[in-house]
């Protein structure tokens, strides 16, 4: 992030200097011409990601292209319900954790996909209904979002809950049959479990203004008006040989509701229009200030779920296709693209949790600080001590105040944390520390 910020600052300075010299066009273009998808998107304040099958992380060609071109990843399958909770209450995070650590090691942000969906449910959930399914589903959201807390830039909390066809209503599913409020219940549970992650609704065939996207639009408007936590809408954009003419206008109408938008699963059928369509999608995202990034659904054509559609940006040998050049040129074009309101990758922020060792009349609190997916330069943890309690001694942080609302700020050696990195500080107190609820803010 710091590097990206410094780079952006340098670009701004360069452009300013150039404007003064009256040669804006030539040099401003040169100043912003990245040579990879990730770097070029970052220059526009956005991320460019790929869906990853963790089994392919041992394929050299695959990893070379992934690490060189992309600065965001999403698990193609490994964070879905059947993968993460194969038996009820027994969670399995091997694939998801592997992807998160690959991302962390390579400075990539992570999209989480997906907490609840009618597809790829474990067998035990497929057979459930009613209140038993509702509580199992909410427990799933809570457990998985808690496990990955602080690691995920944006979660697809709910995937594909609207029906195709003209009605603009919900799709029938076991989840829908638990009550229409299942989606908002899922969003509330996700927010409680990982307050730092952006929470998205994600769907397909919503890529233009149509009955289905309008159904989603009405739900988002309702959620924002009632304070149901929703931060973003994902547009899968599994496209054929055409793209709706109102693709950008559709993104914009959602952005105008006050949520971010993201292109989450882009792939385009091969054919004469493929490169153009990829370019059009990229330009549309850059033209919408709240479009924070684009993810393609796989790396090479042969990695794609779309069989022989050759729908991606690299051929099976890992070579760049015309569609790749079209995307890169679109990312590098122009100097007037507005930046997203929240600079990705990463939610920034941090989270904190406390563990207590208490005795009669006193306690020691050990506080764990976890950086969000863009890391921290510094952090402050706030908490309110119960009446009668006071801080007597603090280590690895500086306390301001000793009773009531107390703030703990990093010391010079533990303020800078990489994405997902953890540090600890502690304090001793008189009285009782029961019920301490820390909140963390990052700078
Ligand atoms: C697909 C994966 O790519 C396949 O590997 C898997 O067999 C089925 O799911 N919409 C979604 C994605 O939200 O999760 C789907 O991914 C593609 C359609």
């Amino acid at each position: 992030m710091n590097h990206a910020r410094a780079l952006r600052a340098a670009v701004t300075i360069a452009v300013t200097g150039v404007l003064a010299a009256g040669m804006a066009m030539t040099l401003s273009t040169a100043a912003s011409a990245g040579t990879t998808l990730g770097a070029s998107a970052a220059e526009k304040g956005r991320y460019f990601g790929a869906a990853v099958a963790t089994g392919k992380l041992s394929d050299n060609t695959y990893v070379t292209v992934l690490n060189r071109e992309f600065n965001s990843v999403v698990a193609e399958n490994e964070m879905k319900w059947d993968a993460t909770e194969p038996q009820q209450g027994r969670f399995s995070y091997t694939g998801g954790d592997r992807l998160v650590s690959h991302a962390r090691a390579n400075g990539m942000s992570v999209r989480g996909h997906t907490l609840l969906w009618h597809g790829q449910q474990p067998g035990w959930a497929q057979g459930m209904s009613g209140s038993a399914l509702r509580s199992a589903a909410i427990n799933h959201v809570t457990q998985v979002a808690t496990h990955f807390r602080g690691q995920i830039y944006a979660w697809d909390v709910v995937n594909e809950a609207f029906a195709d066809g003209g009605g603009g209503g919900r799709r029938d599913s076991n989840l829908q049959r638990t009550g229409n409020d299942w989606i908002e219940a899922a969003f509330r549970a996700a927010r409680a479990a990982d307050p730092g992650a952006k929470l998205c609704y994600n769907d397909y065939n919503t890529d233009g203004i149509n009955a289905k996207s309008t159904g989603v639009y009405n739900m988002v408007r309702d959620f924002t008006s009632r304070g149901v936590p929703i931060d973003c809408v994902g547009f899968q954009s599994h496209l054929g040989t055409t793209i709706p003419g109102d693709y950008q206008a559709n993104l914009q109408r959602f952005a105008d509701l006050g949520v971010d938008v993201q292109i989450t699963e882009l792939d385009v059928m091969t054919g004469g229009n493929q490169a153009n369509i990829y370019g059009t999608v990229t330009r549309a995202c850059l033209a919408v200030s709240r479009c924070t990034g684009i993810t393609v659904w796989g790396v090479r054509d042969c990695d794609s779920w779309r069989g022989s559609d050759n729908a991606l940006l690299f051929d099976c040998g890992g070579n760049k296709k015309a569609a790749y050049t079209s995307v890169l040129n679109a990312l590098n074009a122009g100097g007037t693209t507005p930046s997203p309101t929240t600079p990705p990758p990463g939610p920034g922020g941090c989270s904190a949790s406390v563990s207590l060792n208490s005795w009669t009349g006193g306690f020691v609190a050990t506080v764990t600080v976890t950086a969000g997916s863009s890391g921290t330069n510094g952090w402050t943890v706030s908490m309110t001590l119960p009446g009668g309690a006071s801080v007597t001694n603090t280590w690895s942080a500086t306390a301001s105040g000793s009773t009531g609302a107390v703030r703990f700020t990093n010391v010079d050696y533990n303020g800078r944390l990489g994405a997902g990195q953890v540090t600890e500080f502690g304090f001793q107190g008189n009285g009782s520390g029961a019920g301490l609820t820390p909140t963390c803010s990052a700078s």
Side-chain angles (χ1 to χ4, degrees), residues 59-70 299:
D59 174 332
N60 277 338
T61 311
Y62 181 88
V63 175
T64 302
V65 176
L66 177 70
N67 291 356
R68 186 188 69 219
E69 296 289 341
F70 297 96
V299 176

Short mmCIF file of all heavy atoms in Angstrom, two decimals, residues 59-70 299:
data_model
loop_
_atom_site.label_atom_id
_atom_site.label_comp_id
_atom_site.label_asym_id
_atom_site.label_seq_id
_atom_site.Cartn_x
_atom_site.Cartn_y
_atom_site.Cartn_z
N ASP A 59 1.67 -25.70 -10.00
CA ASP A 59 1.95 -25.65 -11.44
C ASP A 59 2.74 -24.37 -11.72
O ASP A 59 2.25 -23.26 -11.53
CB ASP A 59 0.60 -25.65 -12.18
CG ASP A 59 0.72 -25.45 -13.68
OD1 ASP A 59 1.68 -24.80 -14.13
OD2 ASP A 59 -0.17 -25.93 -14.40
N ASN A 60 3.98 -24.54 -12.17
CA ASN A 60 4.89 -23.39 -12.32
C ASN A 60 4.37 -22.31 -13.25
O ASN A 60 4.45 -21.12 -12.95
CB ASN A 60 6.26 -23.85 -12.83
CG ASN A 60 7.10 -24.35 -11.67
OD1 ASN A 60 6.85 -23.99 -10.52
ND2 ASN A 60 8.08 -25.19 -11.98
N THR A 61 3.87 -22.73 -14.42
CA THR A 61 3.39 -21.73 -15.38
C THR A 61 2.24 -20.94 -14.76
O THR A 61 2.18 -19.71 -14.84
CB THR A 61 2.88 -22.43 -16.66
OG1 THR A 61 3.87 -23.35 -17.09
CG2 THR A 61 2.59 -21.43 -17.75
N TYR A 62 1.35 -21.67 -14.12
CA TYR A 62 0.18 -21.05 -13.50
C TYR A 62 0.60 -20.03 -12.45
O TYR A 62 0.16 -18.87 -12.47
CB TYR A 62 -0.65 -22.17 -12.86
CG TYR A 62 -1.93 -21.76 -12.17
CD1 TYR A 62 -3.13 -21.67 -12.90
CD2 TYR A 62 -1.98 -21.50 -10.81
CE1 TYR A 62 -4.31 -21.32 -12.28
CE2 TYR A 62 -3.16 -21.15 -10.18
CZ TYR A 62 -4.32 -21.07 -10.92
OH TYR A 62 -5.50 -20.74 -10.30
N VAL A 63 1.49 -20.45 -11.56
CA VAL A 63 1.89 -19.56 -10.46
C VAL A 63 2.68 -18.36 -10.98
O VAL A 63 2.53 -17.24 -10.47
CB VAL A 63 2.70 -20.34 -9.40
CG1 VAL A 63 3.22 -19.41 -8.32
CG2 VAL A 63 1.83 -21.40 -8.78
N THR A 64 3.46 -18.59 -12.01
CA THR A 64 4.23 -17.47 -12.56
C THR A 64 3.30 -16.38 -13.09
O THR A 64 3.47 -15.20 -12.80
CB THR A 64 5.14 -17.97 -13.71
OG1 THR A 64 5.99 -18.98 -13.18
CG2 THR A 64 5.97 -16.86 -14.30
N VAL A 65 2.29 -16.81 -13.85
CA VAL A 65 1.35 -15.81 -14.39
C VAL A 65 0.54 -15.18 -13.26
O VAL A 65 0.38 -13.95 -13.20
CB VAL A 65 0.40 -16.47 -15.43
CG1 VAL A 65 -0.64 -15.47 -15.91
CG2 VAL A 65 1.19 -17.03 -16.60
N LEU A 66 0.08 -16.02 -12.35
CA LEU A 66 -0.73 -15.50 -11.23
C LEU A 66 0.04 -14.43 -10.45
O LEU A 66 -0.46 -13.33 -10.22
CB LEU A 66 -1.12 -16.67 -10.31
CG LEU A 66 -1.90 -16.29 -9.05
CD1 LEU A 66 -3.31 -15.82 -9.40
CD2 LEU A 66 -1.96 -17.47 -8.07
N ASN A 67 1.25 -14.76 -10.05
CA ASN A 67 2.01 -13.84 -9.20
C ASN A 67 2.45 -12.58 -9.95
O ASN A 67 2.58 -11.52 -9.36
CB ASN A 67 3.23 -14.54 -8.61
CG ASN A 67 2.84 -15.60 -7.59
OD1 ASN A 67 1.66 -15.75 -7.27
ND2 ASN A 67 3.82 -16.32 -7.10
N ARG A 68 2.70 -12.74 -11.24
CA ARG A 68 3.15 -11.58 -12.01
C ARG A 68 2.01 -10.60 -12.30
O ARG A 68 2.18 -9.39 -12.20
CB ARG A 68 3.75 -12.07 -13.34
CG ARG A 68 4.40 -10.96 -14.18
CD ARG A 68 4.80 -11.48 -15.55
NE ARG A 68 3.62 -11.79 -16.36
CZ ARG A 68 3.53 -12.84 -17.19
NH1 ARG A 68 4.52 -13.69 -17.33
NH2 ARG A 68 2.41 -13.04 -17.88
N GLU A 69 0.83 -11.13 -12.62
CA GLU A 69 -0.23 -10.27 -13.18
C GLU A 69 -1.29 -9.82 -12.18
O GLU A 69 -1.95 -8.82 -12.42
CB GLU A 69 -0.94 -11.02 -14.32
CG GLU A 69 -0.05 -11.32 -15.51
CD GLU A 69 0.32 -10.07 -16.31
OE1 GLU A 69 -0.36 -9.04 -16.19
OE2 GLU A 69 1.33 -10.14 -17.06
N PHE A 70 -1.52 -10.56 -11.11
CA PHE A 70 -2.71 -10.31 -10.31
C PHE A 70 -2.34 -9.85 -8.90
O PHE A 70 -1.35 -10.31 -8.32
CB PHE A 70 -3.57 -11.58 -10.25
CG PHE A 70 -4.08 -12.02 -11.60
CD1 PHE A 70 -3.41 -12.99 -12.34
CD2 PHE A 70 -5.22 -11.44 -12.15
CE1 PHE A 70 -3.86 -13.39 -13.60
CE2 PHE A 70 -5.69 -11.83 -13.40
CZ PHE A 70 -5.01 -12.81 -14.13
N VAL A 299 -7.22 -18.32 -14.58
CA VAL A 299 -6.01 -17.70 -15.15
C VAL A 299 -5.91 -18.01 -16.65
O VAL A 299 -6.01 -17.12 -17.48
CB VAL A 299 -4.75 -18.18 -14.38
CG1 VAL A 299 -3.49 -17.62 -15.02
CG2 VAL A 299 -4.83 -17.75 -12.91
#
